[in-house]
Amino acid sequence: MVVGAGAFGGWTALHLIEQGFDVTLVDAYGPGSARATSGDETRGLRYAYGRRDVYTRLAVDARKRWMERQEDWGVTIALPAGRLSMAPEVTASMQDAQAIFDRRGLPYEYLDAAEIRYRWPQFGPDGLAMAMYEPDALALRANLACRVVADTVTRQGGRVIIGKVQAPASTGPISSVMLGNGETLNADVFVFACGAWLPRLFPELLGDRIRVVRRDVLLFGPPAGDARFSYPNLPNWTESGQRTYGFPDVFGAGFKVAPSGGNETFNPDTDERFPSGESIARARAYLALRFPDMAKQPLVHYRVCQLENTADEHFLIDRHPEMENVWIAGGGSGHAFKHGPALGNYIARRVNGEDPDAELTRLWHLNV
Ligand SMILES: Cc1cc2nc3c(=O)[nH]c(=O)nc-3n(C[C@H](O)[C@H](O)[C@H](O)COP(=O)(O)OP(=O)(O)OC[C@H]3O[C@@H](n4cnc5c(N)ncnc54)[C@H](O)[C@@H]3O)c2cc1C
């Protein structure tokens, strides 16, 4: 049984089915819901991870899997948008990524301000100096992907149900979990891929390891009849100096501007999801700076989302130290969505008794 149908859980369920397991996928709100961290319109896939080569390696694997799955499904989910990482000058993180890209033969370009403006005249030029461009970066249609993965689980004979699983409590293996409505579900193995809810379900184990913080995401409507701000006419972009990143309008969802930073804690069940005035003001200031023709456009949609951060931003994937047939998978730390197809493969094989990647196993260990 897999609890949680987000990036970790959905893909794990799918890979378990493909390995011959009988799978039930349970989610409290349904796959890709507005409360799930994976439930936003878009998430990005990039290879650049500074010096953390292990995640570049994982992203390369994941990209291949996204493209293959998309072809099998016949649904457009992974859009080859490319990504611009803008800065006043080449940063240490870009140099680290560049060394890894060179070693792995991954494509990138450095663009100066004139070249950026030539390719994408929609960008406002003030202080724009250079960017590292990743042509292989993707815009992933996140909540759609969660639903398609869950539908594929069903099509392959699995069961997908809506239900809130109660926290298990035992000092040995468990044989069942209880839902909020009193129903009992039996299984041989349980994977808890519950995102921001993990520290609530396992407070002793994860209460200090995963911190849940709020993020606002604003979607602005491009002018009527103007495709300059929509995929494929603009890449994903990020500008660390401005603590802002975003995505082009993808199939009418809105032009996404996401201010980053902040440590406000968040309750994923009960907190209201209205964006703050400060976030909207920051997004509008950024639009005025970089996308002046969007500066006065209306906010048409928004998402208030949560990060489930570990201290070192590495994921946590391991067997529960006391309940030996219970697995924990989460701690996405703002970067797990892209890796979903590769994570599902890794987790399902771990559950099946293999150790497919010793480096990842060491990195994501619960260390208790
Ligand atoms: C603003 C923002 C931007 C991001 N940008 C990127 C990006 O560009 N690229 C990238 O790769 N990553 C990005 N991330 C991170 C990525 O979205 C997350 O790491 C990933 O989606 C986490 O997936 P998850 O499966 O752990 O959690 P979730 O998607 O939240 O899934 C957990 C599921 O568990 C269910 N659940 C919880 N408790 C229970 C229970 N008791 N019973 C049943 N079901 C339960 C929930 O309903 C939920 O559906 C971003 C995150 C945020 C917040």
Side-chain angles (χ1 to χ4, degrees), residues 4 7-8 27-28 37-38 43-44 163 165 245 305-306 334-338:
F8 283 86
D27 196 289
T37 311
S38 310
R43 292 285 182 253
V165 173
Y245 66 92
C305 192
Q306 64 275 329
H335 68 107
F337 191 86
K338 69 178 74 58

Side-chain angles (χ1 to χ4, degrees), residues 3-9 26-30 32-33 35-40 43-45 163-166 193-197 201 215 217 245 247 305-308 329-330 332-339:
V3 186
F8 283 86
V26 195
D27 196 289
Y29 300 108
S33 83
R35 283 193 177 90
T37 311
S38 310
D40 201 343
R43 292 285 182 253
L45 182 145
K164 181 175 178 183
V165 173
Q166 308 294 297
C194 299
W197 291 262
L201 283 160
R215 284 292 178 272
V217 170
Y245 66 92
F247 291 77
C305 192
Q306 64 275 329
L307 296 168
E308 46 288 313
S333 304
H335 68 107
F337 191 86
K338 69 178 74 58
H339 301 297

Side-chain angles (χ1 to χ4, degrees), residues 29-338:
Y29 300 108
S33 83
R35 283 193 177 90
T37 311
S38 310
D40 201 343
E41 317 301 328
T42 40
R43 292 285 182 253
L45 182 145
R46 64 185 147 87
Y47 294 150
Y49 259 96
R51 63 178 59 182
R52 291 187 158 180
D53 181 37
V54 63
Y55 289 104
T56 301
R57 168 165 76 81
L58 202 65
V60 170
D61 180 18
R63 187 184 194 280
K64 190 164 155 281
R65 292 173 184 273
W66 278 110
M67 300 319 267
E68 286 167 0
R69 292 286 182 173
Q70 155 165 274
E71 182 141 354
D72 286 354
W73 291 330
V75 185
T76 305
I77 286 180
L79 310 173
R83 178 179 184 262
L84 269 184
S85 178
M86 297 179 280
E89 58 190 10
V90 176
T91 63
S93 166
M94 284 178 191
Q95 282 170 337
D96 290 336
Q98 179 189 350
I100 289 167
F101 280 40
D102 286 342
R103 200 167 68 241
R104 291 190 172 275
L106 301 174
Y108 67 90
E109 289 176 83
Y110 282 117
L111 308 180
D112 63 18
E115 183 63 21
I116 298 170
R117 283 198 290 279
Y118 174 73
R119 293 192 194 185
W120 302 284
Q122 308 91 313
F123 276 106
D126 278 358
L128 194 55
M130 58 76 61
M132 186 176 184
Y133 178 60
E134 269 190 65
D136 274 6
L138 302 175
L140 299 164
R141 299 171 73 192
N143 51 20
L144 174 63
C146 293
R147 290 195 296 275
V148 172
V149 168
D151 285 350
T152 312
V153 168
T154 311
R155 259 207 322 280
Q156 297 201 11
R159 201 155 71 111
V160 178
I161 57 177
I162 294 203
K164 181 175 178 183
V165 173
Q166 308 294 297
S170 167
T171 46
I174 61 171
S175 56
S176 64
V177 287
M178 197 186 285
L179 298 184
N181 64 6
E183 195 186 331
T184 296
L185 297 176
N186 299 306
D188 296 326
V189 181
F190 300 80
V191 179
F192 280 83
C194 299
W197 291 262
L198 279 174
R200 292 166 183 271
L201 283 160
F202 301 98
E204 280 181 28
L205 183 64
L206 300 174
D208 291 336
R209 285 191 164 91
I210 296 178
R211 186 174 153 76
V212 178
V213 297
R214 170 191 170 120
R215 284 292 178 272
D216 292 0
V217 170
L218 295 318
L219 293 126
F220 295 89
D226 186 347
R228 288 175 302 153
F229 302 100
S230 301
Y231 170 82
N233 298 324
L234 203 65
N236 309 340
W237 78 91
T238 180
E239 188 165 1
S240 55
Q242 298 286 336
R243 294 189 306 144
T244 306
Y245 66 92
F247 291 77
D249 181 322
V250 169
F251 300 140
F255 180 85
K256 183 168 177 175
V257 183
S260 56
N263 272 321
E264 186 182 333
T265 54
F266 195 75
N267 182 321
D269 283 312
T270 58
D271 277 353
E272 294 248 61
R273 293 177 186 253
F274 287 121
S276 72
E278 189 204 337
S279 300
I280 297 173
R282 277 183 62 193
R284 284 214 175 276
Y286 188 79
L287 287 175
L289 177 69
R290 287 286 171 252
F291 300 100
D293 292 346
M294 284 295 299
K296 299 223 162 75
Q297 290 305 114
L299 183 69
V300 292
H301 193 24
Y302 53 79
R303 293 275 180 188
V304 175
C305 192
Q306 64 275 329
L307 296 168
E308 46 288 313
N309 286 339
T310 60
D312 56 10
E313 296 181 356
H314 290 309
F315 309 147
L316 294 172
I317 299 174
D318 205 351
R319 197 188 285 276
H320 190 284
E322 282 163 2
M323 295 175 261
E324 60 222 46
N325 60 344
V326 170
W327 289 78
I328 306 289
S333 304
H335 68 107
F337 191 86
K338 69 178 74 58

